[in-house]
Amino acid sequence: MHETTPLSAQQAQLLSQLVDGLSTEQLAWVRGFLAGINHSVRQAGAQAAPVAAASGAAAPQLTILYGSQTGHAQEVAEHAKARAVAAGFKVDLFAMGDYKASRLKNDKLLLVAVSTQGEGEPPDDARDFYDFLHGEKAPRLEGTRFAVLGLGDSSYEKFCQAGKDFDARLNALGAERLVARVDSDVDYDAPAERWIEETVEAVKRVAAPAEAGRGTGVTEGFTLASFASSVAPAAASSQYSRKHPFDATVIENITLSGRGSSKEVHHIELSLEGSGLTYEPGDALGVVVQNDATLVDTLIDTLALDPQATTTTHDSTLSLRDAFLRAYDITTLSRAFLEKYAALAESTELKALLGAGNETALRDYLHGRDVIDVVRQFPARKVKAAEFVGTLRTLQPRLYSIASSLAANPDAVHMTVGAVRYESHGRSRRGVASTYLADIAREGETVPVYIEANRNFKLPSDSHAPVIMIGPGTGIAPFRAFVEERQALDAPGKNWLFFGDRNFRTDFLYQREWQRYVKDGALTKIDLAFSRDTEDKVYVQHRMREQGKELYAWLQEGAHLYVCGDADQMARDVNTALIDIIAEHGGVPSDAAAEYVKTLQREKRYQRDVY
């Protein structure tokens, strides 16, 4: 009787290399993940053999690429890999930043999951591959089959633009689509799950036509939601997730802004005791929010609907009022909503606004308005609750950069929240999440939360490495966590903070803490920019330029640079300043300086958490 060897020597060596250096929490996650895959394969094996075994041929080779800013595209790509492996395929999974473009012409089965950030741009980690693919050096791809999933937010004009660009370019290079591109909105679970299922089936047909229709080894019930909860490293030991949040008790809610400030910024502390939730500096706290009750009642009255009428959401049956409170987005306007509502209201005026050539007018109309404005301006006759609900998208949790270190604050998590309140088109407006937290989150009350790991915004593993942090306004939040962590762990590396806001007297967030850190030596340098205190407005990028020589010296020493905050203006200006500083003090042309910055990004020494 021959002894059965679970792994070959080569497999064992590869596994050893993969797990070498993992933390205890990461190893626990790996054990749970492998157990889940093993369970899936065992169940599927009772129904059918994998494709390779059934056909007697070598397992098809599949390459999966992801471009991810916050981790959602990575989550989808990892799930697609698990499904494909269970179906009998060999799979290579790469972040686009780690993918060698030279192998593209040889990868004949290609899946792409990519998010869009800012004004239609690819994630930072995907920029190099995006540029290569759209450049003159991109190879012809006849014989390549591909599928693209775009992740985005339909409230932005260039919805899923990065996914559209990848899809169009791959096709233009001669590659053939396995399935049509899917553009998923903020509620991406269901469309991503369908895309994975359809793509795996399409690959199966292409790779083994004779086996089409046979079992694939993919287990029913092995869904993206269940996979996502199993792979979140920060919450590996917890039962709580985006779909099942933890009710965290409010410990403290204080106003950081001084009297007379034009802003309203809150510091909120929540208890995680008993949750099992853990996090690292750079991660985000997901907050499951509710709409404002007054806004809900106004919308129901405007529609002349019964608040107690029942409606079926994705996973439950609720009264219309509860559904508007907790399940649907009734504030964010998007083209998708207007298209659906225009058909429901049979409004020729609204349809004309959506027509070709009216993009600027549509953009202006969307700005500063919400769903109630549209319903009032373009009333629909005798609309039914189910019909109107069908025009709305799911109310999504909001993500806030965590402003604390777990090492310094066991069983607690902190947030820095800027409450949004403004007047527009004759009505007072309130930010859904920010005012929910500012007004409702009081001591003793609870807030439903979960941890969203940000794998692309992490402190350097080398505690000696210098750190440069640029975070104006509430972008300061993760850097409070960074400095807390470095101090708690006695990290010897230098720390430099650039912070800016409107006024020194009222808007210097966490002022006493930063002053204490400077005194204690935990913060090596701090440079401040308060734009409304001087005749000429001064921002963080101006302070960077003033300190350009030393900033460049820190980078040459191996410093890691981080940016958090506004993507549209601040992050662009900071990036431009960084390139100019490197060109000036490194004595190189602008194009070489830009390449230097790209190298920093490839080496994970330049990371951004922008929104």
Side-chain angles (χ1 to χ4, degrees), residues 331-412:
T331 55
T332 307
L333 274 192
S334 67
R335 183 184 186 92
F337 167 78
L338 291 181
E339 287 173 345
K340 294 175 183 177
Y341 185 76
L344 185 64
E346 299 179 343
S347 171
T348 55
E349 185 180 351
L350 195 50
K351 290 176 181 177
L353 182 63
L354 293 162
N358 290 330
E359 288 78 11
T360 300
L362 176 60
R363 190 183 308 118
D364 291 342
Y365 182 80
L366 291 172
H367 183 69
R369 287 185 169 90
D370 62 16
V371 170
I372 289 179
D373 294 312
V374 177
V375 170
R376 284 177 170 173
Q377 187 173 353
F378 306 102
R381 296 180 180 178
K382 298 181 179 179
V383 62
K384 297 179 181 177
E387 292 175 329
F388 186 76
V389 164
T391 67
L392 302 174
R393 66 179 188 175
T394 303
L395 180 62
Q396 291 297 304
R398 302 303 201 265
L399 298 179
Y400 286 90
S401 297
I402 292 175
S404 57
S405 159
L406 199 59
N409 302 275
D411 290 328

Side-chain angles (χ1 to χ4, degrees), residues 85-315:
V85 168
F89 305 133
K90 291 180 181 178
V91 181
D92 285 339
L93 175 69
F94 296 98
M96 289 183 186
D98 297 330
Y99 181 68
K100 295 185 183 303
S102 58
R103 64 173 279 171
L104 177 62
K105 60 185 177 183
N106 297 316
D107 285 330
K108 299 304 181 183
L109 290 171
L110 187 67
L111 307 189
V112 175
V114 62
S115 61
T116 295
Q117 66 164 340
E119 294 304 315
E121 299 174 359
D124 290 344
D125 197 35
R127 172 56 71 178
D128 275 357
F129 182 62
Y130 179 93
D131 290 343
F132 166 79
L133 197 67
H134 288 80
E136 295 180 356
K137 294 182 180 180
R140 295 296 302 172
L141 297 176
E142 282 83 3
T144 296
R145 306 290 185 92
F146 75 95
V148 173
L149 172 74
L151 292 91
D153 183 338
S154 62
S155 65
Y156 286 84
E157 183 177 358
K158 296 184 178 179
F159 172 55
C160 285
Q161 188 62 49
K164 294 173 183 176
D165 290 347
F166 274 106
D167 179 75
R169 183 57 176 165
L170 288 168
N171 187 241
L173 291 171
E176 182 181 345
R177 294 181 181 90
L178 285 161
V179 297
R181 184 192 75 247
V182 171
D183 299 330
S184 60
D185 207 343
V186 286
D187 190 20
Y188 63 90
D189 285 345
E193 181 66 32
R194 287 193 297 272
W195 178 79
I196 291 171
E197 184 70 32
E198 291 172 3
T199 301
V200 168
E201 288 298 315
V203 171
K204 193 178 75 168
R205 289 192 296 272
V206 169
E211 298 304 319
R214 289 199 182 188
T216 64
V218 179
T219 305
E220 292 184 10
F222 190 31
T223 65
L224 183 62
S226 63
F227 179 83
S229 64
S230 74
V231 301
S237 60
S238 176
Q239 61 180 308
Y240 299 104
S241 65
R242 179 162 55 100
K243 296 295 184 182
H244 303 285
F246 172 70
D247 288 328
T249 301
V250 178
I251 300 171
E252 188 172 48
N253 180 356
I254 62 174
T255 303
L256 292 177
S257 308
R259 183 177 301 173
S261 173
S262 58
K263 295 185 175 182
E264 179 191 338
V265 180
H266 290 251
H267 171 79
I268 298 173
E269 300 185 7
L270 305 174
S271 172
L272 297 180
E273 187 174 359
S275 69
L277 290 170
T278 61
Y279 60 87
E280 297 177 356
D283 288 344
L285 187 71
V287 180
V288 178
V289 298
Q290 292 187 19
N291 287 308
D292 177 65
T294 301
L295 194 68
V296 167
D297 293 336
T298 301
L299 178 58
I300 292 174
D301 288 344
T302 303
L303 292 166
L305 294 174
D306 178 4
Q308 298 308 314
T310 58
T311 184
T312 301
T313 66
H314 300 294
D315 53 10

